[in-house]
Each structure stands twice: as structure tokens, then as C-alpha cells.
């Protein structure tokens, strides 16, 4: 194994992550955040969330399937022994093993790279002789999109021992650029080692696309939910890393952009970050990059380092809805627009005249900048919500009402139905009624819980003709109809056909048609900024509730499980009480 002491080596995530993160990692003057460091969302960045657990479970299941194939070698047992895993990888490559799970690739000292893909699959012989391999990544999302019916996507079926198949009418989504650039990174490391497959440069993605076979023809099936499909429906999709399908801004191009291959795009992004890393390690004055707030900041351990470098009214910090991209923020800063006050005081048309020729999608940039300018003016004037219409709001008449909010696990299974019964004749006031199962539910368990909850709701509606069920967005209705569609239960199918149409009222439609919000129109924002409602939990949110549910089901200590379950129930109760507060506020505006 080469001696890599003192070398600047970047992994596959570097090319797709924030360049400031790379600088912070290699600058010796920046203190290491250490374990438990919190991101912008206040949670420890290394905390195992429900989504991460679900991703790791999916990855483990898929890699188990690959490891069970003939002539496969599984090196995951050497996860914490890098030298041993590297040596075992080299032996497996020399032996021409068909699949190598959990490999450690030789460090590319000249290129500044290290690589550890999820797997390697034997491909065409290497250009210099010997066995050649293609890198493979397992991702918990779909990687295919519809394409011309005459176009077939090259893939290998997990159910058929990685036999090559053609998936009709599909192509790899260009929007999965992060996946493609990570594959390109591993391809470059394999090339440096002399282990890359000859011929076309392929990389493999195993996602959650459901593949079916009819008369020997593979096609993508509609995925009804986020739950990962069984292995028999999965394929390893082979992405051509030399195909020019990715757009990148180009000032000299007539359209403002040029098409690049994943390898070309990767070489540019990685080269930029490597220069940043080398200069940071050498303590070069005036860093190339400065912090810009992006979605990545939510779970970044370097947030405590970057936040002090941002003004309290920094544009990227304060505009958190339809935020301009990092590149757009950088271009605006070059024009002297750093804060919300700067943007609020500028002529937007003049800004866009200089900005849009430098971006790949000028219409999208113009939309984001105009929305940001509108929000900046509102913040300057001390407003977070504004009415965009006049006259009475269209709301059902007051009376007996039930507010509804559901909670779902990371795989989109409904495990909690929460109701707030608001009976004008009840002196004690609104009453919270939950139906919950703090357990991993299969489809049968989900249907049984839904039947229990909707049977109770149907009885309330039958006893109170004219009663309304209020919810915010169509999330609840979508899940009711989904569960009913997969059930032969007449109560569920009848409820979805009848009650959802006659008794349900979506308050989001009213809000969207009549209001504009600095922070968007989500329930958390509009109920707080408009109706003045506050949640008991400072970390209330859908993604966090999935982590609490995960803890309520899987935590080792019973008290931790009970505390997490209480936290979920209180959050759900606050959601339905927020819907009620929103109703009252909207009626007061009529």
C-alpha cells in the first residue's frame, strides 16, 4: 500500500459537496468540529436519522444479494481494517472475482483521490491487460426517467444473476448528477490503479426503480410509495459516464450552457475542490471560497465555523424559500448584493440583465431572484406574510369540525392518525384523539390502523351531518386513497370515494390562493407567522418526527422509546391544533 502520509486526498463526496466544507477540512487554522457537532438545524450532524437508517438498511439488503452471487467476495467484515481490506481487494481483482463488495481502492496520489465504492463488478479487460472493473453505488431513490419508446437502457437484473437486460423507454435521470459524479470519481481512481474496465466508461447505480418483465421485455413499473421494492424487481443500471447529458453554465455559449459528460463535469468540480484543499493546507491567504447557505448546511458539522462569517441579514441566510442557488448568490455578491437590504434596494430588472447571461437556465434564475427580491422587501418592512387578494375568503361555515393530520415513517407508511374534535357545544373545548402504532407496519398493519381510524371518523361524520374535516395540503387524502386502492375493504374504498369529496376541506388551497409568505406557506410558517401559533417542541418537523418514530420503535431503553413516542404524539397534536388556529385566523380576516 502506498505511503499517503501528508498527501491531500479527497473522497467521492468532495466533488458534489460544498467547497467551503473542503476548505474547512484542510485548513489547519479551522478547528475540527468533532463528534456531535450540530448543523444549521441544531441536530448533531452525525446523528443516525430515520432516513439514514432506511438508506443503510436498503444498501445492506442489496449488497447481501450481490454477495450471494457466484464468484463474489464480500469485504464488509474488514470495514475498520483499511490496509487489510485494500490487500483483500487487490487479491480479488487479481483473481478476477465477478463482484467485490465493500472494496478499498488504491489511493491515487497523483490525482489526490481515495475511493471506496459500494461494489465493483467485473467488466471488459483493463486497457493495460488484466481484469477490468466498473464501480457500483447503491442509492435509495429512483435513477431512471421515461425516454423515447425506442430507447433502451442498459442494465443488469439482480433477480437473474446480473444478466444484462434492456429496460424499454427509459434513461438515467440527468438530475442524479451527484450519483454520476461520485461514479466518475471511482472511475478515475480505478483508471489510476489500472483496474478500470476497457471500452466505454460505465458506472452502475442500483436504485429503487421497480422493474417488471413481460414476454422477456423489461419495463419500469409505477412505484406507489417510497418503500423500496423487493430484490427481484431491482436492476443495476449502467450509466455511460462519457455521454454528454449534464448541463453546466458557460458564459461563451449562446444558450448560456453547454452539455458535458459526467466525467468532464466531475473533472471540473473535483479539480476546483482539490485546488481549494491544497491552498487551505498550505494556509494560502484569501481563501477562494466564502460561506453561502445551502440545503447542505442543515446537517453540516462545519456550520458553527461558517455561521460567524455570515451577516445576520445575509441574503442566503435569510431567504430560505426558493433560495437562489449558490452560483446565483455568488454572482449577486459580485454585483454588490450581499444582504436582504442590498437586494431590497436594487432594481431587479437591471440585476437580471447582468445576471441571466451567465447562467444555464435564465428563466429559472429570474424567477428565483424576483421571488427573493420580493421577500427581501417584506423583511426590510418587517412583514413575513402578506395578503395578495381582497374580499371574503371562501371557507365552509363554522360548526362541528375535525382537524386531521397524519404521520408517516421513513418508508411512507402511515403509523399515526391524529384528530382534533372541535365541537362548539362541548364546554371542555377541542379534544385530541390519536390512533397510533409505534411499530414497523407492513401493508396489512397499515390498513388495519387506517380502518380503525377512518371507521371512528366515519361514525363522527354520520352523527354530525354537515361536519367538516380540515387538513393542510392533500397529503392525508393521497394516503387515504392509496390505502383504499390496495384494499378490498368496502369501508375504506367507500370513505375514499365519498367522504374525502363531500366532507374534507384543504386549508392550503385557501392560503395559497390568498397569501404570500417570506418563509413559504407550509403549515409551520403560516400558522406561526399568520395565526401566531407556536409548537411546544423547538425541533418540530416532519423529518424530525420520522427520527422520533424510529427511536420510539428501536431504542434500547424502554424509557427512551416512551419519551420518543410522547414527543411524536405531542407534535401531532400541535399540528392539528395549529390547523384549528389557522382556521380561526382566516375567519377573522373575512
Amino acid at each position: 500500500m502506498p505511503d499517503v502520509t501528508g498527501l491531500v486526498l479527497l473522497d467521492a463526496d468532495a466533488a458534489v459537496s460544498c467547497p467551503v466544507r473542503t476548505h474547512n477540512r484542510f485548513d489547519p487554522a479551522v478547528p475540527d468540529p468533532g463528534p456531535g457537532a450540530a448543523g444549521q438545524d441544531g441536530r448533531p450532524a452525525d446523528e443516525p436519522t430515520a432516513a439514514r437508517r432506511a438508506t443503510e438498511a436498503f444498501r445492506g439488503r442489496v449488497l447481501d444479494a450481490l454477495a450471494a452471487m457466484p464468484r463474489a467476495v464480500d469485504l464488509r467484515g474488514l470495514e475498520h481494517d483499511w490496509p487489510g481490506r485494500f490487500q483483500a481487494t487487490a487479491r480479488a481483482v487479481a483473481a478476477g472475482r465477478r463482484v467485490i463488495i465493500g472494496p478499498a481502492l488504491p489511493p491515487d496520489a497523483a490525482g489526490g483521490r481515495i475511493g471506496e465504492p459500494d461494489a465493483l463488478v467485473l467488466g471488459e479487460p483493463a486497457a493495460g491487460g488484466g481484469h477490468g472493473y466498473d464501480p457500483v453505488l447503491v442509492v435509495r431513490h429512483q435513477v431512471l426517467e421515461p425516454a423515447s419508446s425506442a430507447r433502451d437502457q442498459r442494465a443488469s437484473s439482480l433477480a437473474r444473476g446480473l444478466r444484462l437486460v434492456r429496460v424499454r423507454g427509459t434513461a438515467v435521470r440527468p438530475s442524479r448528477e451527484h450519483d454520476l459524479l461520485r461514479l466518475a470519481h471511482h472511475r478515475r481512481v480505478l483508471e489510476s490503479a489500472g483496474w478500470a474496465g476497457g471500452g466505454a466508461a460505465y458506472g452502475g447505480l442500483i436504485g429503487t426503480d421497480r422493474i417488471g418483465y413481460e414476454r422477456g421485455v423489461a419495463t419500469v413499473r409505477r412505484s406507489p410509495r417510497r418503500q423500496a421494492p423487493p430484490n427481484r424487481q431491482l436492476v443495476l443500471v449502467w450509466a455511460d459516464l462519457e455521454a454528454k447529458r449534464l448541463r453546466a453554465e458557460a458564459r461563451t455559449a449562446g444558450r448560456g450552457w453547454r452539455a458535458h459528460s459526467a466525467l468532464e463535469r466531475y473533472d471540473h468540480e473535483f479539480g476546483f475542490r482539490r485546488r481549494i484543499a491544497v491552498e487551505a493546507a498550505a494556509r494560502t491567504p484569501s481563501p477562494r471560497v466564502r460561506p453561502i447557505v445551502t440545503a447542505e448546511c442543515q446537517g453540516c458539522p462545519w456550520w458553527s465555523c461558517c455561521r460567524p462569517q455570515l451577516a445576520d441579514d445575509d441574503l442566503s441566510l435569510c431567504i430560505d424559500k426558493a433560495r437562489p442557488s449558490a452560483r446565483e448568490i455568488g454572482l449577486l455578491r459580485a454585483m454588490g448584493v450581499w444582504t436582504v437590504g442590498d437586494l431590497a434596494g436594487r432594481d431587479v430588472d437591471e440585476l437580471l440583465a447582468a445576471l441571466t447571461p451567465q447562467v444555464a437556465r435564465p428563466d429559472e434564475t429570474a424567477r428565483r431572484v424576483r421571488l427573493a427580491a420580493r421577500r427581501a422587501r417584506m423583511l426590510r418592512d418587517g412583514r413575513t406574510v402578506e395578503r395578495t387578494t381582497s374580499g371574503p375568503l371562501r371557507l365552509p361555515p363554522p360548526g362541528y369540525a375535525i382537524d386531521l393530520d397524519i404521520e408517516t415513517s421513513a418508508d411512507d407508511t402511515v403509523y399515526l392518525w391524529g384528530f382534533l374534535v372541535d365541537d362548539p357545544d362541548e364546554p371542555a373545548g377541542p379534544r385530541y384523539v390519536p390512533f397510533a402504532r409505534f411499530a414497523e407496519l407492513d401493508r396489512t398493519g397499515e390498513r388495519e390502523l387506517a380502518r380503525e381510524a377512518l371507521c371512528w371518523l366515519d361514525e363522527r361524520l354520520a352523527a354530525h351531518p354537515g361536519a367538516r374535516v380540515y387538513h393542510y395540503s392533500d397529503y392525508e387524502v393521497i394516503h387515504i386513497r392509496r390505502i383504499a386502492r390496495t384494499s378490498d375493504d368496502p369501508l375504506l374504498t367507500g370513505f375514499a370515494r365519498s367522504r374525502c369529496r363531500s366532507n374534507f376541506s384543504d386549508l392550503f388551497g385557501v392560503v395559497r390562493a390568498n397569501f404570500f409568505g417570506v418563509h413559504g406557506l407550509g403549515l409551520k410558517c403560516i400558522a406561526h407567522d399568520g395565526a401566531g401559533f407556536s409548537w411546544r417542541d423547538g425541533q418540530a418537523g416532519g423529518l424530525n418526527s420520522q427520527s422520533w418514530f424510529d427511536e420510539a420503535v428501536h431504542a434500547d431503553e424502554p424509557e427512551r422509546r416512551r419519551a420518543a413516542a410522547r414527543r411524536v404524539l405531542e407534535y401531532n397534536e400541535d399540528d392539528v391544533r395549529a390547523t384549528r388556529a389557522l382556521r380561526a385566523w382566516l375567519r377573522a380576516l373575512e
Side-chain angles (χ1 to χ4, degrees):
M1 183 177 65
D3 181 7
V4 296
T5 305
L7 293 179
V8 173
L9 299 175
L10 303 181
D11 62 17
D13 290 333
V16 298
S17 61
C18 171
V20 178
R21 186 170 186 154
T22 298
H23 175 273
N24 291 343
R25 177 185 166 196
F26 287 95
D27 187 340
V30 177
D32 191 308
Q40 187 185 15
D41 59 7
R43 297 171 60 91
D46 56 1
E47 181 177 295
T49 64
R52 289 174 187 167
R53 290 182 190 273
T55 297
E56 287 306 310
F58 176 66
R59 177 178 288 110
R61 170 162 68 88
V62 171
L63 294 181
D64 286 345
L66 291 177
M69 294 183 178
R71 296 176 53 229
V73 59
D74 190 350
L75 305 181
R76 286 176 291 174
L78 299 172
E79 178 182 3
H80 302 294
D81 177 11
W82 195 94
R85 187 154 51 93
F86 166 69
Q87 293 167 7
T89 302
R91 290 194 298 269
V93 169
R97 300 294 288 265
R98 186 183 182 209
V99 182
I100 305 172
I101 313 299
L105 306 184
D108 176 8
R113 303 178 180 89
I114 53 174
E116 299 180 66
D118 290 325
L120 297 175
V121 172
L122 187 64
E124 297 295 325
H131 302 294
Y133 284 85
D134 298 317
V136 173
L137 296 174
V138 180
V139 293
R140 196 173 67 92
H141 51 242
Q142 295 177 343
V143 301
L144 294 173
E145 67 177 4
S148 166
S149 58
R151 182 169 183 169
D152 292 341
Q153 171 63 49
R154 185 174 184 261
S156 295
S157 169
L158 267 65
R160 302 182 180 189
L162 294 186
R163 193 179 82 190
L164 283 176
V165 296
R166 298 284 178 175
V167 186
R168 176 169 296 175
T170 61
V172 176
R173 301 183 182 203
S175 61
R176 299 305 185 196
E177 180 174 318
H178 282 200
D179 297 337
L180 297 172
L181 266 58
R182 289 167 62 220
L183 285 174
H185 176 94
H186 295 303
R187 171 75 187 188
R188 291 299 191 219
V189 180
L190 287 168
E191 289 172 348
S192 171
W195 292 357
Y202 282 108
L205 294 172
I206 303 177
T208 58
D209 304 270
R210 295 172 182 263
I211 305 299
Y213 299 90
E214 296 181 9
R215 298 180 181 178
V217 177
T219 56
V220 176
R221 290 181 174 175
R222 180 175 178 271
S223 184
R225 58 195 297 169
R226 282 185 287 179
Q227 190 174 49
N231 289 349
R232 67 178 181 276
Q233 293 182 325
L234 297 178
V235 293
L236 194 167
V237 176
W238 293 109
D240 183 352
L241 303 179
E242 295 175 317
K244 294 181 180 293
R245 300 194 63 220
L246 303 181
R247 286 186 180 185
E249 285 87 357
R251 293 188 182 186
T252 58
R255 296 173 292 185
W257 57 269
R258 283 196 177 92
H260 297 273
S261 71
L263 285 169
E264 291 170 335
R265 183 73 177 150
Y266 163 78
D267 289 340
H268 172 78
E269 295 294 339
F270 183 84
F272 175 58
R273 285 158 179 80
R274 192 182 180 214
R275 289 192 294 274
I276 289 172
V278 170
E279 292 174 1
R283 296 293 294 130
T284 302
S286 302
R288 288 175 179 264
V289 289
R290 296 189 61 175
I292 293 175
V293 181
T294 67
E296 189 178 339
C297 298
Q298 289 292 313
C300 180
W302 299 98
W303 175 247
S304 60
C305 171
C306 292
R307 177 59 184 90
Q309 301 178 56
L310 297 165
D312 290 342
D313 59 348
D314 179 87
L315 185 63
S316 69
L317 179 66
C318 296
I319 304 298
D320 55 6
K321 188 69 176 177
R323 179 191 288 128
S325 70
R327 174 171 172 77
E328 290 160 356
I329 291 290
L331 291 171
L332 287 169
R333 287 180 176 181
M335 300 175 192
V337 178
W338 286 73
T339 68
V340 292
D342 294 335
L343 183 57
R346 293 289 291 271
D347 184 302
V348 179
D349 289 333
E350 290 183 2
L351 282 176
L352 290 175
L355 185 66
T356 53
Q358 305 181 63
V359 298
R361 296 175 175 84
D363 291 345
E364 295 179 15
T365 293
R367 178 185 63 82
R368 281 192 291 266
V369 172
R370 289 190 186 282
L371 287 173
R374 181 177 182 180
R375 292 185 162 102
R377 291 191 293 270
M378 290 174 65
L379 287 171
R380 179 196 59 189
D381 299 338
R383 294 177 290 115
T384 54
V385 176
E386 67 180 11
R387 180 85 183 266
T388 58
T389 61
S390 59
L393 300 174
R394 298 184 61 182
L395 291 169
Y400 188 97
I402 296 176
D403 298 283
L404 165 63
D405 184 76
I406 63 173
E407 306 298 338
T408 59
S409 61
D411 67 356
D412 218 25
T413 298
V414 183
Y415 69 87
L416 170 57
W417 300 78
F419 303 96
L420 187 71
V421 181
D422 190 4
D423 185 349
D425 299 328
E426 178 54 59
R431 174 170 57 97
Y432 175 60
V433 180
F435 293 83
R437 295 285 189 278
F438 288 99
E440 296 287 359
L441 298 178
D442 58 14
R443 290 195 177 189
T444 299
E446 183 187 42
R447 282 196 296 267
E448 290 174 352
L449 177 62
R451 192 183 199 287
E452 180 182 349
L454 296 180
C455 182
W456 173 89
L457 179 57
D458 192 55
E459 291 173 355
R460 302 286 84 72
L461 296 177
H464 297 274
R468 305 300 302 175
V469 178
Y470 292 95
H471 54 100
Y472 200 79
S473 86
D474 58 357
Y475 193 63
E476 283 72 21
V477 172
I478 286 174
H479 280 277
I480 290 173
R481 288 173 175 164
R482 173 184 63 77
I483 295 171
R485 190 169 56 247
T486 60
S487 169
D488 57 0
D489 189 316
L491 183 142
L492 294 177
T493 54
F495 193 100
R497 282 197 304 265
S498 177
R499 292 296 193 190
C500 287
R501 294 177 179 175
S502 60
N503 295 89
F504 279 48
S505 292
D506 182 0
L507 292 179
F508 175 65
V510 177
V511 170
R512 181 176 55 186
N514 296 279
F515 296 90
F516 181 84
V518 166
H519 304 295
L521 298 176
L523 180 62
K524 302 293 180 303
C525 299
I526 197 68
H528 179 270
D529 295 348
F533 183 87
S534 294
W535 275 253
R536 285 171 281 181
D537 196 312
Q539 294 183 335
L543 291 178
N544 285 346
S545 74
Q546 291 181 354
S547 294
W548 302 336
F549 167 77
D550 189 65
E551 188 174 2
V553 175
H554 298 294
D556 295 332
E557 299 85 6
E559 182 51 40
R560 280 185 60 200
R561 294 197 296 271
R562 288 191 291 269
R566 285 194 301 270
R567 197 175 188 184
V568 169
L569 289 168
E570 288 178 356
Y571 162 66
N572 181 260
E573 180 179 357
D574 284 351
D575 269 1
V576 288
R577 290 190 180 277
T579 308
R580 179 179 182 270
L582 177 60
R583 285 194 287 115
W585 177 65
L586 292 173
R587 291 193 190 285
L589 299 177
E590 289 188 298

